[in-house]
Amino acid sequence: MKRSYNKTPMPEQAPEIRWNNFEEVALGYDLESGILEASRCLQCKDAPCILKCPVMIGIPGFIKAIKEENIQKAYEIISRYSNLPAICGRVCPQEKQCEMVCRLGQSKKFEPVAIGKLERLVADWALEQPVEKVERTFHKGKVAIVGSGPSGLTAAGDLAKLGYKVVIFEALHTAGGVLTYGIPEFRLPKRIVAKEIERIEALGVTIETNVVVGKTITIEEIQRDFDACYIAVGAGAPHFMGIPGSALNGVYSSSEYLTRINLMHGYQFPTYDTPVQKAAKVAVIGGGNVAMDAARSAKRMGASQVTVIYRRSVEELPARVEEYHHSVEEGIEYSWLTNPVAYLDDGTGKLAGVQCVKMELGEPDASGRRRPVTIPGSEFVIEADVAIEAIGQGSNKVLLATFPELAVNKWGYIDADEETCATNVPGIFAGGDIVTGAATVILAMGAGKLAAKEIDQYVTAKEA
Amino acid sequence: MTEKRKLAEKEYEIWVEAPRVAEKAKPGQFVILRTTAFGERIPLTIVKTDPLSGRVCLIFQVIGKSTAELAALNPNDRLQDFVGPLGMPSEIKNYGTVLLVGGGVGIAALFPIVKGLKEAGNRVITVLGAKTRELVILKEECRAFSDQLIVMTDDGSDGNQGLVTAAMEDVFLRETVDVAWAIGPSVMMKFAAKMAQNYDVPIYVSLNPIMIDGTGMCGGCRVTVADSVKFACVDGPEFLGTEVNWEEFIQRMKQYSREETDSYEAYIRQVNPFGEKKLQQNTDAGTGAGNPVE
């Protein structure tokens, strides 16, 4: 059979339907499409895709198993490396990782193998299978994990498999971290997150919600009761532009907007009690995946006009291409090379619009991207009754403030060794966004895997 | 929940079994709870703790659907979630003479500070204010830890008729006060801060902005203090009252007033827990760290 040039298409909800609901956009491959797509894989011996994957999934192996219609085997291969495959299959930036280096995609006319979509197929199949509760003995020791996001869950899964009793402490009432409060339902359904977490718990991991480490229990108590600790609390303190009018009603951080919608089910108000402002015109500031999530959520909340304000151009947009395309299909508008300078008051303390200036791109800055420069006299107003700032996060100080011995870097993130996740305090490891600053789910998972390995070595050496 | 007591019309005291919180809580800190899986995260100041029985005491006023649902629970009912202690504790030490001002249900949040400051050796002067006699809660508890207790009511049914700021001024004119606290409705705190400023007395207030996670993650509770942005949940809830941008704070409290009213009215129509004919809504009851969106 001749390989098709293009990826096997995945069915999606039509834009004009999906922008009215929070249901998942991409509907997933069926087995037939999966086998078709799997047969496009060249089965490279040196498999560059594996090296480009932060958790080094045996990609050609699982794809071969799909081609052979052995989904069970494909799942076994994936789950050797990833504890959260249904999540990775949906939210990993595959186009910048495995799929970017795919040999097939390197050859003329061919698109890379849809590795992410195949991973999702296998993972979704697995989620439908009954969870086998394995009786384990936890002979190697006890490990505490702070934070139940992708990094903490990954470390927990690996440590449980290695024979550790793992307790995860989560500050919110639902586990999952950014997977639960940040990424919207239409991109990552919460039932998928819940099922993946159930699988981690089935490995013998305990998750205690409503525990704020540093407040409800202290790091000293953890040091006393556990052999090691992995801090994976995420970045989690929203940045604000700090421009005039930021306190007006209708100005949100993306964290608040998305938390209201995702964690608190604001889109189901009044069935759920936490409201979120419904607006006719919404401005979203920023150009990352979080900005896309906020903009597309605002559309689903009924906004007739949603404008993303980004100070660079489409070429520099940090969001995933797929998310950008989805947003355009859904009618999200973009104001490129634009920077907000003030929020305008409607006279009653509510937002009326965003005062902006136009930008042009100057010389490259430290990040290698051309630096946006204000064009004098270019002020204009984008009308909006809600504005959402999605400009990134800084480090959350709740835990760090109560643990002054822990070394932090000049940006306020934990100063942990990238190779080992070790901090300056013996037995305390850290990884994910609280070390790197806001990054991706898969990188946080990579850190979690590393931490699990290093914690195992540390505890084993200590016992010896 | 192990106990529930009605203190006054729409004001309730509850005790909740939460050993970790009871062990760690300090004056000025708060908890966040949910009554049901559909409910809001409700921040409430911790009034008392009993570490021996592992219990925490909270006092709240029914001002919307969420607090009405909380009031409808009974002993032995379970809360959906309970997390804390959150926020920075009050700075309890021996200042000399301290003036503590509580208004309405804010008295509940003031009480642990009264107690803490008395135990730290201060001369404690406490002013309690409320609309009417039955709303002056925790009077005897506060009296037990105060060198002087002054009660002010709007209708003169208890203590003196008038505002707490008048009582504050009397104290400032009479003696030197080293530091003051005021906890109650926003407008009361704003004017108490102005009064203290007139007499150069530093004054702490406890802010109760709209809040979700309570751990500094969402930024919804941001307030402008001394021209910089602070998050009440982690930097506060206490701030120097003279540094708070009150106009902005009071404005931000109104963000969801329409949704809150709709929600509460629908709830009352459905449940009618108080047998009321007419709704009375108070959007700013000043519960210390307070009620989020009612």
Side-chain angles (χ1 to χ4, degrees), chain B residues 130-143:
Chain B
K131 276 192 190 123
T132 186
R133 181 188 181 86
E134 65 140 358
L135 296 173
V136 184
I137 58 170
L138 298 174
K139 190 163 82 176
E140 292 317 312
E141 285 90 335
C142 286
R143 194 194 301 280

Side-chain angles (χ1 to χ4, degrees), chain B residues 23-59:
Chain B
E23 186 196 332
K24 296 282 172 17
K26 295 198 176 73
Q29 292 188 296
F30 64 98
V31 295
I32 288 182
L33 61 84
R34 286 198 311 163
T35 52
T36 73
F38 297 94
E40 293 177 282
R41 293 172 63 90
I42 310 172
L44 291 170
T45 305
I46 298 164
V47 181
K48 293 178 236 178
T49 57
D50 181 8
L52 280 179
S53 64
R55 296 185 312 151
V56 177
C57 173
L58 307 171
I59 291 176

Side-chain angles (χ1 to χ4, degrees), chain A residues 6-67:
Chain A
N6 298 321
K7 288 177 179 176
T8 309
M10 184 186 267
E12 286 178 352
Q13 275 199 75
E16 60 279 14
I17 295 191
R18 70 183 191 239
W19 75 45
N20 292 308
N21 68 52
F22 273 83
E23 304 295 311
E24 196 168 18
V25 169
L27 302 172
Y29 281 155
D30 56 17
L31 185 58
E32 200 184 337
S33 329
I35 292 167
L36 187 66
E37 181 63 19
S39 58
R40 293 178 70 231
C41 176
L42 300 171
Q43 291 293 315
C44 312
K45 286 277 176 298
D46 58 345
C49 49
I50 299 181
L51 294 173
K52 198 71 182 168
C53 171
V55 298
M56 300 195 47
I57 292 175
I59 293 168
F62 94 76
I63 292 182
K64 183 159 175 273
I66 297 175
K67 194 178 155 190

Side-chain angles (χ1 to χ4, degrees), chain B residues 114-126:
Chain B
V114 172
K115 181 167 179 279
L117 287 169
K118 185 65 210 165
E119 286 168 354
N122 291 281
R123 172 174 152 72
V124 176
I125 304 166
T126 304

Side-chain angles (χ1 to χ4, degrees), chain A residues 177-235:
Chain A
V178 71
L179 307 171
T180 297
Y181 72 75
I183 303 176
E185 186 76 15
F186 56 81
R187 207 149 72 78
L188 180 63
K190 300 306 150 227
R191 71 186 151 75
I192 298 285
V193 178
K195 277 186 167 183
E196 294 265 46
I197 290 172
E198 220 174 279
R199 299 206 155 232
I200 303 268
E201 289 180 305
L203 296 169
V205 172
T206 306
I207 303 179
E208 291 193 25
T209 53
N210 294 316
V211 178
V212 182
V213 173
K215 298 276 186 189
T216 315
I217 61 169
T218 62
I219 282 283
E220 288 74 24
E221 287 170 283
I222 286 179
Q223 286 173 312
R224 186 187 68 206
D225 298 340
F226 293 87
D227 296 299
C229 173
Y230 179 50
I231 301 175
V233 294

